[in-house]
Amino acid sequence: MLKNGKYNILIIDDDTQSLTTFKTGFQEEFNLFIGLSASEGFTLLKQNEIHLVVTDQRMAGLSGIEFLKKVKKYFPKTLRILLTGYSDLEVVVKAINECNIHRYMTKPWKKLQMKNVLDHALEFYQLREDKDSLLEQLKKVNQQLEKENTYLTEEINQDQDFQKIITSSEKFKATLKILEQVATTNTTVLIQGESGTGKELLAREIHSLSKKSEKPLVKVNCAALPKNLIESELFGHEKGAFTGASQQRIGRFEVADEGTIFLDEIGELPIDLQAKLLRILQDGEFERLGGNTTIKSNARIIAATNIDLEKAIKEDTFREDLYFRLNVFPITSPPLRERKEDIPILIEHFLKKHQANIGRKISTVPAKTLKIMMSYNYPGNIRELENLTERFMITSLGEQLEIMDWNPTFNLKYQKGNDEFLTMKKMEIRHITEACIRSDWKIFGEGGAAEKLEINAKTLSSRMSKLNIKKENSFL
Ligand SMILES: Nc1ncnc2c1ncn2[C@@H]1O[C@H](COP(=O)(O)OP(=O)(O)OP(=O)(O)O)[C@@H](O)[C@H]1O
Ligand SMILES: [Mg+2]
């Protein structure tokens, strides 16, 4: 930092006359430090940040060259100028070679001439400082980027240890065939489906079958990030873009650049960010938060949602234009209750998957267990089936998968909102549903639900349509 905006110059000479000339000539423009010998010069150099030293060659004690050699060694940033007598060519050569001096001046010097030399030297000093500080900044930014890269790569790698899709359902297999076809294009894909149906698995499958499979798949969960962080996570920010933005940070769109970006729970993206996303979809362009350089992204976009986006559009929480841009190629991940034939192979798969962490092998699934597990509708889909299987593995005593005290229709523990206090209406729905399941959805006649409930079958039937109780939504 410059004091009073002036550079610090040290002048060393044992001739007071010469010192006075220097002083009167330049004391206005520079902070001058004056010494009569090399040793006084060192004291001043130690105490002050000297930008430039001008020394006479012939002095008592150390000569100018000896002095500058030491200055070069101990104060390498300080620029060095030597004043010599007219014919000291040998000295000049030595000074250049050994002391790496910036300039030499012959005595007596003229003020204007000296001024030019000083200005030139200090300009050089400043440029060198600026360059050093830019390099320093660049180094910091590089370090930051490296950190970010490591963090993101770790995250990506963790996630990439993914599962093969298991299915025996013809319907789902047909979906997978279409998925294979779209995977090789760069088309935006929107995956819709209930929670736990394997949307993320499908997204990873698309990426792994695509031309971008060698590049990263970067996931952003729009529901898991705090609202105020999503924008910077997606698009990055410049230093100082907001309080706490102490460094520049690149966003996930930039990391994904040539790869794929998976926008999970897209329905949760705040409406004000939807416009920015729309622009990427349309033009492949965006700016970092607080920045004005336009950045291009070639990332392939896969989005997923478990909410009904058309409904969200009606409720003004999702932009219709964004929906159309995302919905170029829609894929629906079917709920498990529509592909119950998958339940046995999925159970088998989960038995193998969890045997290591449970520390026990369970190899058979008795028909009774399977029947009960197949009768349930799994509102939490495959994730719920996996959790249940794991739980039964823990509670099974032998090599067979046993169900202890679990009743698929009445075990509220496995249903959503299990700790809520039930209203009469909900209670009624549950109880009627239970009766229906116990009678295999036979309502009328012997062994039917009406008989179990000891009410008139027609009354039951109209009650059921009023309460919207149907086999297909019996998990409610
Ligand atoms: N067909 C399948 N074969 C094997 N495992 C599956 C299959 N589908 C889903 N899974 C497993 O079920 C779990 C849930 O899947 P995933 O996370 O992909 O669902 P999701 O639809 O993204 O759920 P959410 O909406 O809750 O985020 C994961 O552990 C996944 O590995
Ligand atoms: Mg998911």
Side-chain angles (χ1 to χ4, degrees), residues 456-472:
N456 180 288
K458 275 195 177 149
T459 314
L460 176 61
S461 181
S462 76
R463 209 64 210 127
M464 282 173 69
S465 55
K466 186 139 191 243
L467 295 169
N468 197 24
I469 301 174
K470 289 185 200 144
K471 189 175 178 182
E472 58 270 27

Side-chain angles (χ1 to χ4, degrees), residues 8-11 41 44-46 48-54 67-81 99-102 121-122 124-125 128-129:
N8 297 340
I9 298 181
L10 170 66
I11 167 91
L44 289 164
L45 275 161
K46 274 185 234 158
N48 306 280
E49 190 197 356
I50 303 292
H51 303 118
L52 172 63
V53 59
V54 181
F67 172 61
L68 289 183
K69 259 196 210 165
K70 288 203 159 58
V71 174
K72 180 183 165 217
K73 185 165 176 199
Y74 297 110
F75 305 93
K77 273 174 77 178
T78 305
L79 288 181
R80 300 166 292 274
I81 291 179
C99 313
N100 201 7
I101 56 166
H102 184 72
L122 291 166
F124 174 83
Y125 186 95
R128 198 184 56 186
E129 282 288 280

Side-chain angles (χ1 to χ4, degrees), residues 163-166 172 194-201 264-265 306 339 346 349-350 353 382-383 386:
Q163 172 62 51
K164 278 240 82 53
I165 297 170
I166 293 171
F172 197 34
E194 287 176 19
S195 175
T197 48
K199 296 185 293 297
E200 183 162 347
L201 215 57
D264 203 5
E265 316 278 6
N306 61 16
R339 45 176 164 127
L346 283 168
H349 163 70
F350 294 134
K353 181 175 166 188
I382 295 147
R383 183 176 297 113
E386 177 167 4

